[in-house]
Amino acid sequence: MRKNEAMQIIYDEGRCVRCGLCVTDAEDGGVRLIDGRIVLDGLRAEDWAMIAAICPTGAISIERSE
């Protein structure tokens, strides 16, 4: 990511199959499973690109803008 590039984490709950891969790979608690739902905390220092890449359905994605 470039220095002036902003990042937004996009979560599409309708595409999510709740496999838990994102929860397992989130090392700083940025992705949690609460009451059967995936909850993202974009303020946590996670490797969001990696988390988006492991999502098998594309429910988590990254949108970048300058």
Side-chain angles (χ1 to χ4, degrees):
M1 189 164 76
R2 288 184 224 122
K3 189 174 184 177
N4 294 328
E5 190 175 35
M7 177 182 76
Q8 182 177 4
I9 303 152
I10 309 295
Y11 173 61
D12 182 347
E13 187 173 12
R15 295 179 75 171
C16 181
V17 295
R18 286 144 193 87
C19 66
L21 290 173
C22 56
V23 176
T24 302
D25 282 358
E27 297 176 353
D28 193 36
V31 185
R32 294 177 291 153
L33 184 63
I34 300 174
D35 295 329
R37 298 181 77 180
I38 298 294
V39 178
L40 303 181
D41 181 351
L43 298 178
R44 300 282 183 149
E46 298 289 357
D47 184 348
W48 291 106
M50 188 253 333
I51 291 171
I54 64 159
C55 182
T57 63
I60 298 175
S61 60
I62 304 290
E63 186 175 284
R64 292 184 170 96
S65 62
E66 290 190 43

